[in-house]
Amino acid sequence: MDLERAFLKSEALEQLITADKFILADEIDDGHLLNLKHNGVFLVKVPADTNESNPYDGFWWSKTTLGAKRKVLHRHQSIWKPMEIFGQKTHSIQSTEMYQSFLRKQCVSFNGYVHIFYFLTNDNDLLKLPDEQDHEKPKKRILKKVADTMRKVVMPHRSVSDSTKVGKDMGFPVTRKQVANLARNSKDCLIGNTGPRAKTTLLMAENLKQRYPEQLWFDKDSNNVLTSLTFIHVYDEACKLFSLACPTDAELSDWTTLVDSLQLMSTVERKNKIEALLVDSPDGVFIPSRLHVDTTFNVGDVYLTVVLGEVRNFKTIDSEKARVLPLGYMLHSSKSKHNHEKFADSLKIALSRSDTALSSRKVPCVLADGEEALECYANSLNAPLIRCDMHILSLLRFNYGGKTAVNVAKPFLFGRKVDGVWKGGLFAVFTMQHLEKRLDQVKGHIDAKIHDWLLQNSHMLMESVSNYAKMRGGHLLQYSTNNANETFNSIIKSVIKKRYNATELILHLNTLIEEKIGECWLAASGCSEKVKLSEDIKKWSYAQKLNHFTTIGIPGARLHLMDIPPPIMKR
């Protein structure tokens, strides 16, 4: 059939697929582009599992040019349009080459292949192939199969540099930057120093070891050069405030029994019960004692992992939400799981000091992103792990579908309004059977790659993402996020405005965190401008106040009952 020099409609595309007009290839090479140059049109299909949704060919189909202060000067993007092929919903990616606007490309994913239609809008135009052009070619993205092999086989127990070298020896065209990006989701990759090199010296590490003999570990090579460093600092005072605000074993057991009973209810009964619970907790947080864990960088030549805990006995004045306190932090030059296990054990010991024979406290849940190494905090504290929904979406966007596919899938995952009525999404379930049913229902409505990932990880989603998992962890929100960590990381970077060596970083962090903890201490006397007690104790007797301060873990409880002037208390 004669092809028009225009983007194909569904009917025309179906005829070409039925007539087997698309040439099968592993990827787009120079031979295919020469065919396009001579004929003006070209049809080819490549496997979807080893190629991008817009397969790489060396042309610029999308590009963003940035100016000073990363201001966007020019943006050239492909257009994604929904399309239905043989009754299956998919997308048509319509692209125009940035430097040769007469060159067009249409990509449609169907039945395990990306079908590509190249055409020139003008026969008189002579097409320049990528190697014939003066400007640089776009860099080829790493393939999903290559990325999986790198994470699972190559990168464990190797540094980024060594992983890059081994990957290239195996025939993978990976760059060091690509491997460094993959290392963010690899629990065993040995990450070297970030930021300025060799700022923390061996002498500094030795001096820190003398000051903090039980908190610091380091290694050196045969040339007496510092190769790794781990420093852990846990704040006993903050841990006590957090632990005494956590539910007891009996309280958490009663809550778990209640949540388990929701599984046995009908949809209507469950909805009514949850709405009744939300009357007392309209923000959706029933047990404000969650633990938040996250790792950040660019504050020094090491990584920084901070653990935050919600303390329901105190509120932030502006938001009226439970106060979030830093319980401890870890500086580490490697993202090895072993370091996180060491930090988690230190936290467990500090939190257990508040336990008594009559009252043992429990952490209701640990909120973290998708980094596997962070799972050890939930394991050590014997608490459920709740994954950040935003990181689930980020994972799907970068590895399993792209931005547009995720935007299409998002309402099916988290819920949407249909004719003015809210309909729960895939994750709004309380049983595995219900999750499997909804997985079948969303099939065909969301990208096939996203659906396959959801199906393969259904048990993890039930345990860490579903409404049932969130309810067991003491909350029910449309999105469970680690925004508390992101906010605290922003506070750190607003105070620590440049990268420091480990010695200076410890001083700055201790000053900042001790101020945050001190705000709770001042709140007991009403001297804090940022924090207040959750209970209104103004009309309480001396004995009632003293008992309350002791119960919630305020140090120097009697001091707050002496009417000391606020300026003196603050000093």
Side-chain angles (χ1 to χ4, degrees):
M1 59 182 293
D2 294 330
L3 292 174
E4 294 184 10
R5 302 295 183 89
F7 294 115
L8 300 173
K9 302 295 184 182
S10 298
E11 297 78 8
L13 193 56
E14 289 174 352
Q15 291 179 32
L16 291 169
I17 293 174
T18 302
D20 199 20
K21 294 294 184 180
F22 287 87
I23 296 173
L24 177 61
D26 292 330
E27 59 183 11
I28 309 300
D29 58 28
D30 292 342
H32 300 132
L33 299 180
L34 283 172
N35 195 319
L36 166 64
K37 183 173 183 178
H38 295 148
N39 299 327
V41 295
F42 186 64
L43 296 167
V44 63
K45 64 179 181 180
V46 295
D49 59 347
T50 56
N51 288 271
E52 303 169 30
S53 53
N54 189 340
Y56 179 83
D57 51 23
F59 290 113
W60 283 105
W61 302 109
S62 61
K63 186 175 184 179
T64 299
T65 304
L66 301 176
K69 297 182 180 179
R70 298 189 64 79
K71 183 179 180 180
V72 175
L73 299 179
H74 174 71
R75 177 165 285 148
H76 174 79
Q77 300 291 339
S78 299
I79 299 174
W80 288 60
K81 291 187 175 182
M83 177 180 278
E84 191 169 300
I85 303 294
F86 298 109
Q88 179 176 319
K89 292 185 178 181
T90 182
H91 286 88
S92 170
I93 307 176
Q94 300 177 0
S95 308
T96 300
E97 217 277 333
M98 181 171 180
Y99 298 100
Q100 301 176 98
S101 59
F102 50 83
L103 171 59
R104 308 291 170 86
K105 176 184 182 182
Q106 182 178 13
C107 303
V108 179
S109 297
F110 173 72
N111 202 23
Y113 293 96
V114 181
H115 295 77
I116 311 162
F117 172 43
Y118 289 97
F119 62 94
L120 304 178
T121 58
N122 191 332
D123 283 332
N124 296 325
D125 290 321
L126 178 64
L127 173 68
K128 280 189 176 182
L129 301 184
D131 291 337
E132 301 171 339
Q133 300 183 27
D134 297 331
H135 56 77
E136 63 174 347
K137 292 196 298 184
K139 294 180 181 179
K140 188 174 183 179
R141 293 177 62 182
I142 189 169
L143 299 178
K144 179 180 177 297
K145 281 190 174 180
V146 173
D148 289 341
T149 303
M150 290 292 295
R151 286 195 196 97
K152 296 175 182 177
V153 179
V154 177
M155 297 173 66
H157 311 299
R158 288 192 176 97
S159 66
V160 171
S161 298
D162 289 343
S163 297
T164 306
K165 183 178 182 303
V166 173
K168 288 181 177 180
D169 291 342
M170 294 174 66
F172 299 147
V174 293
T175 65
R176 191 185 188 284
K177 187 171 183 179
Q178 288 173 332
V179 177
N181 288 334
L182 292 176
R184 296 178 182 178
N185 295 320
S186 175
K187 61 180 179 180
D188 294 321
C189 182
L190 305 180
I191 308 297
N193 292 341
T194 60
R197 292 187 177 182
K199 271 205 160 185
T200 303
T201 64
L202 178 62
L203 179 60
M204 292 177 186
E206 291 172 341
N207 289 336
L208 286 171
K209 183 67 176 177
Q210 292 179 355
R211 292 176 59 190
Y212 308 100
E214 304 298 324
Q215 297 171 247
L216 185 130
W217 301 264
F218 68 89
D219 287 317
K220 59 183 179 179
D221 61 17
S222 57
N223 296 319
N224 281 333
V225 175
L226 184 68
T227 57
S228 68
L229 180 141
T230 303
F231 175 79
I232 294 174
H233 192 75
V234 176
Y235 295 89
D236 288 330
E237 187 176 308
C239 286
K240 184 177 181 180
L241 292 173
F242 170 75
S243 181
L244 290 176
C246 285
T248 63
D249 281 341
E251 290 171 337
L252 195 59
S253 177
D254 290 343
W255 174 258
T256 302
T257 301
L258 171 64
V259 175
D260 287 342
S261 71
L262 295 175
Q263 286 187 309
L264 306 177
M265 295 180 184
S266 67
T267 303
V268 175
E269 290 176 321
R270 185 186 303 125
K271 181 180 179 181
N272 292 335
K273 183 63 178 178
I274 292 175
E275 287 179 349
L277 292 171
L278 289 172
V279 171
D280 294 327
S281 304
D283 61 352
V285 181
F286 307 112
I287 307 177
S289 300
R290 300 169 296 176
L291 212 61
H292 303 256
V293 186
D294 192 34
T295 299
T296 188
F297 49 95
N298 287 339
V299 292
D301 56 351
V302 288
Y303 290 100
L304 168 63
T305 295
V306 179
V307 174
L308 306 175
E310 293 174 320
V311 184
R312 58 180 168 180
N313 294 320
F314 299 89
K315 288 183 178 180
T316 300
I317 291 176
D318 291 338
S319 67
E320 288 291 324
K321 292 182 179 179
R323 187 65 173 172
V324 176
L325 279 183
L327 307 184
Y329 67 87
M330 175 174 66
L331 304 181
H332 49 118
S333 54
S334 167
K335 291 178 75 175
S336 168
K337 188 176 181 180
H338 175 69
N339 284 331
H340 289 289
E341 289 173 340
K342 195 179 293 186
F343 188 20
D345 289 341
S346 299
L347 279 168
K348 181 180 179 180
I349 293 171
L351 294 174
S352 65
R353 293 193 182 108
S354 299
D355 286 348
T356 64
L358 299 176
S359 175
S360 177
R361 303 283 174 163
K362 294 281 288 183
V363 177
C365 74
V366 176
L367 275 162
D369 60 21
E371 189 174 335
E372 292 184 43
L374 300 184
E375 294 177 4
C376 64
Y377 294 91
N379 295 334
S380 179
L381 297 170
N382 192 26
L385 176 71
I386 305 298
R387 296 187 182 276
C388 171
D389 290 330
M390 295 298 103
H391 282 82
I392 293 286
L393 291 175
S394 179
L395 171 70
L396 294 174
R397 181 169 69 250
F398 285 107
N399 293 333
Y400 296 96
K403 182 178 179 180
T404 302
V406 166
N407 288 340
V408 171
K410 187 175 177 181
F412 291 98
L413 302 182
F414 296 101
R416 63 199 187 280
K417 275 191 175 182
V418 179
D419 298 328
V421 179
W422 180 260
K423 299 291 184 182
L426 175 69
F427 299 149
V429 296
F430 278 78
T431 64
M432 191 66 195
Q433 183 181 5
H434 199 183
L435 179 64
E436 291 171 348
K437 180 181 177 181
R438 291 198 174 181
L439 274 170
D440 288 336
Q441 291 173 340
V442 301
K443 188 174 184 179
H445 295 284
I446 62 177
D447 187 275
K449 292 181 182 178
I450 292 179
H451 186 269
D452 289 344
W453 184 87
L454 294 170
L455 189 62
Q456 292 169 6
N457 293 275
S458 57
H459 288 283
M460 179 275 289
L461 296 172
M462 189 67 211
E463 293 173 0
S464 304
V465 183
S466 68
N467 278 7
Y468 172 69
K470 293 169 184 173
M471 283 287 285
R472 280 180 66 92
H475 66 270
L476 184 68
L477 305 170
Q478 184 178 9
Y479 298 118
S480 291
T481 70
N482 60 348
N483 281 346
N485 281 101
E486 301 295 345
T487 302
F488 192 74
N489 291 343
S490 299
I491 293 173
I492 290 174
K493 291 178 181 179
S494 68
V495 175
I496 303 175
K497 296 183 178 180
K498 65 178 184 179
R499 294 173 175 174
Y500 290 104
N501 60 49
T503 302
E504 295 172 319
L505 193 54
I506 289 170
L507 292 175
H508 283 84
L509 286 171
N510 285 346
T511 300
L512 172 63
I513 293 175
E514 285 165 5
E515 286 178 358
K516 296 295 180 184
I517 299 172
E519 291 289 346
C520 289
W521 190 81
L522 292 172
S525 296
C527 299
S528 174
E529 298 174 356
K530 299 177 181 178
V531 185
K532 66 179 182 180
L533 291 170
S534 298
E535 297 281 354
D536 186 359
I537 64 171
K538 293 178 182 177
K539 298 181 179 179
W540 289 10
S541 67
Y542 180 96
Q544 287 175 318
K545 290 179 180 179
L546 181 61
N547 179 65
H548 183 64
F549 291 159
T550 305
T551 302
I552 66 176
I554 292 288
R558 294 182 184 276
L559 197 63
H560 297 281
L561 304 173
M562 297 172 62
D563 294 327
I564 298 175
I568 297 177
M569 287 291 288
K570 289 181 179 180
R571 283 198 293 270

